[in-house]
């Protein structure tokens, strides 16, 4: 109502616009000045003081009548002109389908208190009762709290700390403590350009504080666009490029909107390559499907597989139970990707909390994607699959299987060889599942060539199988490297009708595939990983220290003791991950 009233007061035909200009950092001032001068010549102005520079793009908010849009489009350096979206907390789809119930919280401290986590949302009510695990922070400049924001913030925080509540059962201890940053207030509700204000607050916090884990369950109320990158997406991808933070983002509750117009696709900033886009499935057991409200892919390329995965978000038949009231604490039914996203972050902190050895952000992301199961669903619907939130499913090995983790930094020159520790005495088929993940710098102004780094991964099943010399075009060719076999290729990512360059998949930040090989064909198999870099689509210098992770699973039905065999054959290359002192080893529940 406030927004409608303010629009009428400023003129019924007024449009709130976001202008995107091509302007690199060196030439930004002159181009912005020229744009402002041009606007004045046609009787308009813009909020230049609220502009945002990200890479070679400048995002400028302004207001203009409909009849002036054609004239604005005539400016030479204009990249895009679009309606300014509102910031929308991804509100629950239902509330209170079942009667509220009392919740009794335990008194246990967080399992891994040294982990740092942050939730950006609408705040928490007074006397929320979560002080043992939550530090409530108000972002500088944020206005007074609003009731809807407090309800949303409490539910999201509940999902991160405790997962889905169970009536009559005390919630388990959280894996980590969390800072809840209130970035929505009465000021943003009355701000026509709240999109930029809220993003400014997140950027200021993330640029000055380190967090291992971050959740965002709000964002611009618009579906992603193939041709352009949103200011939220490009800003967060830039802030998270170092690979120090695992960030989960709710993909949106617009999944049942018009598919022909693309209005059901994932919403910014979940389309980023350095974040995890989390969608929602309708049930927590194996008889699941994508919740109808959960946004779908594909993303743009790079970043084609979106959402990254689904986890439980609730449905009418199986709602997500969260804290809904304080003093006294009580719970109620909800559903939405707002809860799937912090539940996924809870799984990530759960993985980190189990082990004494530190796991990098790319490793945690790779582990979650690796353990996501698509069943028979399409990538467009579910990304890499559904992630269980039972911690045992994510950190334990079954009989006949072994999980292996590599986390490495790429050298400035050369390649890295990662051996697959396949025992020589196996028989029959060996199933190999491999998931690579990295974080990298981006070029926001170049949507097609968005990522600045890529991995060229060559699978060599037999390290001793070097082809004999041969002649080609009259020249003698002497191979020096073992023969390769296909493992990751474009067909693993893209549908046949999605036309892309033949090497486009090499610029993705995540790869995952399962391949079956005869044990007799494997002789010290290895992945050779080289690092390619670019800038604005052209060759660029390699940045030293790029972090990447490989999560590998080997399965063989004839070896119930495969884990022990893998450990023996690896020699000193691999060390078992040790449980954190005092942490009870989780139980892996039977798949339901």
């Amino acid at each position: 109502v406030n927004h409608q009233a303010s629009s009428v007061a400023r003129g019924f035909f007024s449009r709130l616009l976001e202008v995107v200009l091509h302007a690199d950092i060196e030439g930004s001032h002159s181009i912005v000045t020229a744009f402002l001068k041009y606007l004045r010549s046609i009787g308009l102005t813009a909020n230049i003081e609220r502009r945002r520079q990200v890479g070679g793009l400048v995002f400028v908010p302004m207001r203009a009548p409909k009849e002036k849009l054609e004239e604005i489009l005539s400016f030479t350096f204009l990249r895009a002109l679009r309606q300014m979206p509102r910031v929308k907390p991804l509100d629950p789809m239902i509330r209170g389908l079942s009667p509220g119930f009392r919740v009794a919280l335990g008194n246990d401290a967080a399992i891994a208190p040294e982990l740092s986590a942050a939730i950006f949302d609408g705040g928490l009510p007074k006397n929320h009762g979560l002080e043992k695990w939550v530090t409530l922070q108000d972002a500088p400049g944020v206005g007074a709290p609003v009731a809807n924001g407090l309800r949303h913030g409490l539910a999201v925080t509940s999902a991160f700390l405790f997962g889905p509540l169970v009536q009559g059962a005390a919630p388990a201890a959280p894996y980590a403590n969390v800072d809840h940053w209130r970035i929505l207030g009465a000021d943003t509700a009355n701000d026509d350009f709240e999109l930029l204000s809220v993003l400014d607050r997140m950027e200021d916090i993330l640029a000055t504080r380190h967090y291992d884990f971050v959740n965002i369950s709000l964002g611009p109320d618009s579906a992603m666009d193939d041709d352009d990158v949103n200011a939220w997406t490009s800003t967060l991808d830039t802030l998270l490029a170092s690979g120090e933070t695992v960030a989960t983002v709710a993909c949106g509750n617009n999944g049942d909107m018009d598919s022909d117009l693309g209005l059901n696709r994932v919403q910014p900033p979940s389309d980023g390559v350095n974040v995890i886009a989390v969608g929602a499935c309708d049930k927590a057991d194996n008889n699941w499907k994508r919740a109808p409200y959960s946004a779908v892919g594909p993303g743009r390329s790079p970043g084609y597989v979106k959402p990254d995965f689904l986890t439980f978000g609730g449905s009418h038949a199986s709602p997500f139970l969260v804290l809904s009231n304080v003093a006294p604490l009580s719970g109620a039914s909800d559903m939405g990707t707002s809860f799937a996203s912090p539940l996924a972050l809870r799984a990530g902190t759960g993985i980190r909390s189990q082990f004494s050895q530190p796991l990098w952000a790319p490793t945690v992301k790779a582990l979650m994607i690796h353990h996501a199961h698509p069943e028979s669903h399409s990538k467009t619907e579910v990304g890499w699959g559904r992630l269980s939130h039972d911690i045992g499913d994510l950190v334990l090995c079954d009989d006949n299987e072994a999980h292996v983790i590599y986390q490495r930094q790429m050298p400035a020159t050369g390649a890295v060889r990662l051996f697959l520790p396949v025992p020589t005495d196996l028989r029959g088929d060996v199933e190999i599942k491999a998931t690579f993940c990295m974080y990298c710098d981006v070029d926001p102004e170049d949507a097609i060539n968005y990522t600045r780094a890529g991995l060229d991964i060559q699978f060599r099943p037999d390290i001793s199988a070097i082809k004999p010399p041969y002649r080609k075009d009259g020249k003698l060719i002497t191979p020096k490297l073992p023969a390769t076999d296909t493992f990751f290729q474009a067909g693993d990512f893209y549908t046949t009708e999605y036309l892309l360059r033949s090497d486009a998949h090499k610029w993705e930040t995540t790869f995952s595939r399962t391949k079956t090989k005869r044990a007799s064909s494997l002789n010290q198999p290895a992945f050779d990983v080289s690092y390619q870099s670019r800038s604005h689509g052209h060759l660029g210098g390699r940045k030293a220290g790029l972090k990447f992770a490989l999560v590998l699973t080997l399965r063989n039905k004839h070896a119930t003791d495969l884990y022990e065999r893998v450990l023996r054959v690896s020699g000193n290359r691999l060390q078992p991950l040790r449980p954190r002192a005092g942490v009870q080893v989780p139980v892996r529940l039977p798949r339901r």
Side-chain angles (χ1 to χ4, degrees), residues 248-284:
T248 51
V249 180
C251 75
N253 293 335
N254 54 311
D256 53 2
M257 295 186 70
D258 194 309
S259 59
D260 292 335
L261 296 177
L263 299 180
N264 62 339
R265 293 177 71 181
V266 295
Q267 296 186 329
S270 70
D271 56 326
V273 295
N274 293 326
V275 303
I276 301 173
V278 184
C281 61
D282 62 342
K283 295 179 181 178

Side-chain angles (χ1 to χ4, degrees), residues 19-36:
V19 177
V20 186
L21 302 175
H22 279 290
D24 58 30
I25 296 175
E26 291 77 12
S28 176
H29 178 73
S30 60
I31 291 174
V32 170
T33 301
F35 180 61
L36 186 59

Side-chain angles (χ1 to χ4, degrees), residues 143-368:
V146 293
N148 286 342
L150 297 178
R151 284 195 294 268
H152 190 263
L154 177 63
V156 168
T157 303
S158 168
F160 171 74
L161 292 176
F162 311 118
L165 300 177
V166 177
Q167 293 191 49
Y175 293 118
N177 298 322
V178 65
D179 288 347
H180 184 117
W181 284 95
R182 187 171 66 84
I183 58 174
L184 297 177
D187 62 316
T188 50
N190 297 315
D191 182 1
D192 287 337
F193 302 118
E194 61 174 349
L195 179 89
L196 301 178
S197 301
V198 175
L199 181 56
D200 285 342
R201 289 168 188 161
M202 280 199 298
E203 182 180 29
D204 290 343
I205 295 163
L206 290 174
T208 56
R209 297 174 181 240
H210 168 73
Y211 285 106
D212 300 310
F213 297 92
V214 166
N215 180 75
I216 301 170
S217 287
L218 48 82
D221 187 16
S222 62
M224 62 150 285
D225 181 3
D226 282 317
D227 299 324
D228 259 315
V229 181
N230 184 278
W232 278 53
T233 301
S234 54
T235 297
L236 288 170
D237 269 341
T238 300
L239 288 168
L240 300 171
S242 63
E244 301 292 333
T245 302
V246 177
T248 51
V249 180
C251 75
N253 293 335
N254 54 311
D256 53 2
M257 295 186 70
D258 194 309
S259 59
D260 292 335
L261 296 177
L263 299 180
N264 62 339
R265 293 177 71 181
V266 295
Q267 296 186 329
S270 70
D271 56 326
V273 295
N274 293 326
V275 303
I276 301 173
V278 184
C281 61
D282 62 342
K283 295 179 181 178
D285 60 29
N286 283 338
N287 298 315
W288 62 272
K289 62 180 182 297
R290 177 184 67 86
Y293 58 80
S294 183
V296 304
R300 73 177 59 80
S301 173
Y304 184 78
V305 180
K306 292 288 177 178
D308 288 279
F309 54 75
L310 312 183
T311 192
F312 180 56
S315 62
H316 290 283
S318 180
F320 197 117
L321 302 184
V322 292
L323 291 177
S324 62
N325 193 30
V326 300
L329 277 174
S330 60
S333 309
D334 274 316
M335 68 183 190
T337 58
S338 280
F339 313 126
S341 181
L343 181 61
L345 197 70
R346 172 178 165 81
T349 57
I351 291 170
R352 277 283 301 268
S353 71
Q354 295 299 306
F355 303 112
S356 57
Q357 298 95 327
L359 298 179
W360 296 350
T363 310
V364 174
K365 180 178 177 180
L367 275 164
M368 289 196 285

Side-chain angles (χ1 to χ4, degrees), residues 418-430:
L418 305 175
F419 284 97
L420 282 62
V422 178
T424 56
D425 57 349
L426 294 183
R427 58 190 176 89
D429 290 337
V430 178

Side-chain angles (χ1 to χ4, degrees), residues 11 328 354 439 471 476 484-485 493 513:
Q354 295 299 306
Y439 288 50
R471 289 191 173 274
L476 181 65
T484 62
D485 191 4
F493 298 91
R513 194 194 175 200

